[in-house]
Amino acid sequence: SRTHSQLSQFMREVKRTTWGRELKAVALASRKSMCINDKVTKLKSAVRINAACLDLCKNGAKESAEEGNDVASARKKHQEGKKKNGGGCPFRDDDRSLDLRDAVLSKVQDIEDVVQWGKKTETCPYYGSRAAIRAAELVTIPYNSLVHKGTREALG
């Protein structure tokens, strides 16, 4: 489809069908459409939002890697560090992303539904929806994501 609103409309129509009741579907959208981090969304520009998101995720991953060899202790220290000094995005958490992935796949949902789940669970809808791609039977994406080589490759 061409726009996020068209994808949402399509997913609402899929929900109304008989096979939509059991279909594992995910609607992908841009960081600009799915981000729930107020510090990032206030930037308005898609380019700036993408850059800020990637920087937050990169900084969080770097801090975790530098904190020790034990994965569990590194994750714990990383979570504590995020609460104390804002390192990494507070909504980007692997465990919560998997929970959001499962919620996304439990029933057909449009982009707005996924964003609401993310807000409710304080989990990044952008990365949670991407975690659902492999298990989904139907994946909807904006047309420009399909045409743009870098974006297409990032989706797998």
Side-chain angles (χ1 to χ4, degrees):
S1 181
R2 291 180 0 181
T3 66
H4 295 303
S5 62
Q6 288 172 327
L7 291 177
S8 290
Q9 180 182 4
F10 174 76
M11 293 300 265
R12 283 191 299 272
E13 292 301 318
V14 169
K15 277 192 237 185
R16 295 174 40 172
T17 67
T18 304
W19 54 273
R21 293 185 195 129
E22 295 184 26
L23 182 70
K24 292 180 181 178
V26 60
L28 302 181
S30 66
R31 286 180 176 92
K32 185 176 181 183
S33 296
M34 297 190 98
C35 184
I36 59 172
N37 186 332
D38 291 334
K39 292 178 182 178
V40 175
T41 57
K42 73 178 181 180
L43 299 173
K44 305 289 183 211
S45 156
V47 171
R48 293 179 70 197
I49 288 171
N50 285 341
C53 176
L54 292 170
D55 285 346
L56 281 172
C57 292
K58 180 177 151 187
N59 290 338
K62 182 179 176 185
E63 289 170 9
S64 289
E66 292 173 352
E67 288 176 345
N69 294 331
D70 179 29
V71 174
S73 66
R75 179 176 283 173
K76 182 178 178 187
K77 287 179 185 178
H78 175 60
Q79 292 298 337
E80 291 169 358
K82 284 197 295 189
K83 291 175 188 169
K84 291 179 186 173
N85 63 18
C89 181
F91 302 103
R92 179 83 194 273
D93 177 275
D94 290 341
D95 294 332
R96 290 192 324 244
S97 286
L98 293 177
D99 291 341
L100 183 60
R101 174 204 64 192
D102 295 343
V104 165
L105 293 171
S106 69
K107 63 181 181 176
V108 175
Q109 301 178 63
D110 63 28
I111 295 164
E112 290 81 14
D113 295 333
V114 177
V115 170
Q116 287 305 313
W117 267 106
K119 287 178 180 178
K120 181 179 175 182
T121 61
E122 297 183 346
T123 306
C124 178
Y126 178 81
Y127 285 104
S129 63
R130 272 152 178 72
I133 292 172
R134 292 205 185 274
E137 298 165 326
L138 173 68
V139 178
T140 62
I141 60 173
Y143 179 73
N144 59 337
S145 297
L146 185 62
V147 175
H148 186 263
K149 182 181 179 184
T151 306
R152 184 176 62 246
E153 289 173 350
L155 292 172

